[in-house]
Amino acid sequence: MLLTNLGPYSSTAPNGGRQIAGSMTGSKISPRLRRWLEGISLWLAVLLFLFVHPVYAEASETGREGAGEFHFVDDAGQRLGSATLLNTDYNVTVSGLIADTRLRQSFRNTSQQWREGVFVFPLPENANVYGMTMTAGERVIVGEIHEKQEAKRQYAKAKEEGRKVARVDQQRPNLFTTRMANIPPGETITVELNYQQAVRYQSGEFELRLPTTLTPRYMPGQALDNEPAQWSGGWASPTTAVPDADQISPFTVRPDDVGPDSHRATIALEINAGLPVSRVSSPSHRVTSTWNGNTVEVAPESRAVLMDRDLIVRWAPARGMEPAAAVFQEQWQGEDYLLALVVPGVNGKQRLPRELVFVIDTSGSMAGESIRQARQALLRGLETLDADDRFNVIQFNSQTHSLFMEAVPASGDNLARARRYVKGLNADGGTEMASALDAALEMTGDGGEESRARVRQVVFITDGAVGNESALFGKIRDGLGSSRLFTVGIGSAPNMHFMREAARYGRGTYTAISDLSDVARPLDELFGKMEAPVLTDIAVSWPGQAAATEAFPDRIGDLFRGEPMVQVVRGLPAEGALDVSGRLPDGSQWQQSLSLEQAANGKGLHRHWAKQKIDSLMDSGLTGQIDDDARQHVIRLGLEHQLMTKYTSFLAQDKTPSRPSQEALETDSVPTLLPAGSQGTMLRYPQTATMSPLLIAIGLIGLMFSAAITLLKRRVYP
């Protein structure tokens, strides 16, 4: 409006009383040039206004997340490295179906103050931590297992008295915390953990996964009002759904933030599979393999790898040597333990019409490479549908949205619409997974006889970056009905605990996709399994099995093509035969026997059994809480088998104080690295961000508007 009402420029004010001063007054700029300058000024102001909106949004977002600089700064303003540097060393020995790992975490204090280091880190979702050692200079102290509360008490006492002390706690089955107090300036303390895990076998291939970082998890629920408002080491505050959110939310930084001497891992594997190995591969790293008879030594090509993704190693037996069955035995403290693996030789190809519901996570943690993987995974799933199938697509972030009101026929038009919908999906917002599970499990198609004859399958594509896993497992268990839930883990560091347990409660199976170039193979295997006949109603009969015999898992779920039946039992010698039976889709019976006299020697079977027993006890409380009897049982098993659990911790402490009483102790939360392929929005820094970008932008806008108003004031209005 101002531009349309402007009159010719005059050096006299409209009221004739004031003359406009300034350098422009006497200039010989033409009216046309002045109008051009005025227009440019106003348009620049508008553009700056548009620019400031995302800047404001970014400032608001980072301020809420606690973003800012993590580096220490010297007197000259130069950035220094983190006060506590971290390096790790993995040494893995695989024997048959059990992998034994020695993990060494070295923490170097580069500051001039005495430090307490706190590091939240991932382990495999089925890890059994059974040993711990702390090394400080010449001192080597073997850790002991304690009830968690007692370990906390002794740690606090040693910390206060200036003695070197280290404690390791389990936060989740795949998430742990190491604490070390009284690290002297310039010195290094090493914490060594020993853990074992079961190797995964399916479709003729063994697989081992070593996580080195984790994806920041979404914390649903409302903030707890009664919690003290103080910084406690994590970027998240406790909520009603995740009361320990502050304990499982380590800061996430870029590799440049920690410097070239930190967050590197050296890794060495020795594989003795018990049969000839023909091929070793890794979808996550470039590795070298050296054969020595039936033993294979594997290591990454680079000596030290960045801790920004899981290391995945796969090996295949020589052709014709694929195991159809295997059994291992161990005696520990006078008791017998047996572990059996049976691969059903099901060759049928009967296919039933299906109702497939694809659920895709489009929350903020999926931004970047993950959402591209997820879109590609879902598009590949759509390709497996036949004309007699029905399907639907559900996406979720802070809200849940379904493409169709109910499952629709897999016609050309419906599939084309679904492809367009999937290609347009972007990642943003929270991870409200519960409502998506409700929608997927409650959706029942047309509800008629035809619908009930279909095999109902839910494919859940996510990185599992949530903190309320237990509540979600309960939701799956209670709402599953006749459906089967298959999880697809996305990203370089997915929450594999969620993937495995959600699939177990969903009576399905789980798959992990590590990189975009590796999408086709695992998905083809998954969708091939889902199309193949399923072995159900599986029964396992051990010789001389008494009613009190405890075999785990106590209920064998459905088996899909290429999947083995694995069970561990205590109290039975390797005598007689193991019988396994099941029902094929056509109703016929399948049965196989395995002679136990052929059992090979196994190592650590007692720990594997104890871990399975502990998991079954913890399953009794899907809200994360169990009754006192179950809790005491878990503690007894942890102390007896020297295992870390939710209620037991490892503690190593020096007897002699080393920190002078007058010296202060500062706490340093060691961050984890941003998972490879993630976007910068997932960064979580320990200090509050400044609002400088926003303030600069506002200042620029103010200057531009001032210039425009000044120009307009030079005009003479008629």
Side-chain angles (χ1 to χ4, degrees), residues 105 107 116-119 121 132-134 143-144 146-157 159 164-171 176-181 189 191 193 247 644 648-653:
Q105 302 171 328
F107 301 89
E116 176 190 35
V118 181
F119 182 49
F121 62 99
M132 173 219 187
T133 303
M134 178 179 72
E144 298 177 346
H146 295 272
E147 192 172 346
K148 180 175 279 188
Q149 294 303 320
E150 174 62 15
K152 285 184 177 180
R153 188 192 68 78
Q154 292 195 32
Y155 178 87
K157 184 172 185 292
K159 172 183 170 182
K164 296 185 180 69
V165 60
R167 188 181 98 225
V168 182
D169 299 323
Q170 174 185 310
Q171 308 295 348
F176 294 77
T177 300
T178 295
R179 301 172 189 274
M180 305 133 295
I189 287 184
V191 175
L193 296 178
Q247 303 295 317
M644 193 184 306
T648 54
S649 301
F650 271 105
L651 179 80
Q653 55 183 327

Side-chain angles (χ1 to χ4, degrees), residues 158-328:
K159 172 183 170 182
E160 181 67 23
E161 293 175 353
R163 293 183 283 129
K164 296 185 180 69
V165 60
R167 188 181 98 225
V168 182
D169 299 323
Q170 174 185 310
Q171 308 295 348
R172 296 287 188 277
N174 64 340
L175 200 60
F176 294 77
T177 300
T178 295
R179 301 172 189 274
M180 305 133 295
N182 297 312
I183 308 175
E187 292 194 14
T188 298
I189 287 184
T190 299
V191 175
E192 180 177 305
L193 296 178
N194 299 93
Y195 68 85
Q196 69 176 44
Q197 66 187 109
V199 173
R200 191 181 189 191
Y201 177 76
Q202 62 174 357
S203 303
E205 201 170 53
F206 297 90
E207 180 181 287
L208 182 72
R209 177 181 285 261
L210 297 178
T212 65
T213 191
L214 58 110
T215 302
R217 302 184 179 192
Y218 178 70
M219 310 297 178
Q222 304 298 317
L224 292 176
D225 294 332
N226 58 348
E227 289 296 318
Q230 62 180 14
W231 180 74
S232 57
W235 57 263
S237 299
T239 71
T240 51
V242 192
D244 62 345
D246 56 328
Q247 303 295 317
I248 62 171
S249 54
F251 301 117
T252 303
V253 301
R254 299 180 192 277
D256 291 344
D257 293 319
V258 296
D261 298 329
S262 190
H263 290 71
R264 265 65 177 174
T266 57
I267 302 170
L269 284 81
E270 182 180 282
I271 300 173
N272 188 354
L275 44 77
V277 174
S278 65
R279 183 181 72 254
V280 176
S281 63
S282 172
S284 61
H285 295 73
R286 296 173 65 88
V287 298
T288 61
S289 305
T290 305
W291 269 256
N292 183 14
N294 285 342
T295 300
V296 187
E297 295 179 354
V298 184
E301 283 188 355
S302 57
R303 183 179 177 278
V305 299
L306 201 60
M307 296 171 60
D308 66 346
R309 70 194 70 193
D310 295 357
L311 171 72
I312 304 166
V313 177
R314 297 174 181 146
W315 58 96
R319 184 176 296 275
M321 298 296 291
E322 295 85 356
V327 59
F328 301 88

Side-chain angles (χ1 to χ4, degrees), residues 42-93:
L42 288 175
W43 275 112
L44 285 174
V46 171
L47 290 175
L48 273 173
F49 177 78
L50 295 175
F51 162 75
V52 78
H53 178 71
V55 173
Y56 175 80
E58 182 179 354
S60 301
E61 185 73 13
T62 54
R64 187 175 65 248
E65 295 171 352
E69 291 291 336
F70 181 73
H71 286 275
F72 290 85
V73 180
D74 63 14
D75 294 339
Q78 299 296 315
R79 296 199 316 178
L80 304 175
S82 172
T84 304
L85 304 185
L86 164 72
N87 283 291
T88 63
D89 173 61
Y90 295 84
N91 193 302
V92 186
T93 302

Side-chain angles (χ1 to χ4, degrees), residues 19-36:
Q19 184 176 4
I20 300 175
S23 59
M24 292 288 290
T25 304
S27 68
K28 297 181 179 181
I29 297 176
S30 68
R32 184 178 181 183
L33 178 59
R34 282 196 297 274
R35 286 197 295 273
W36 184 81

Side-chain angles (χ1 to χ4, degrees), residues 672-690:
T672 58
L673 292 187
L674 182 71
S678 302
Q679 289 195 341
T681 53
M682 298 303 296
L683 291 168
R684 301 290 187 273
Y685 287 95
Q687 294 178 5
T688 302
T690 68

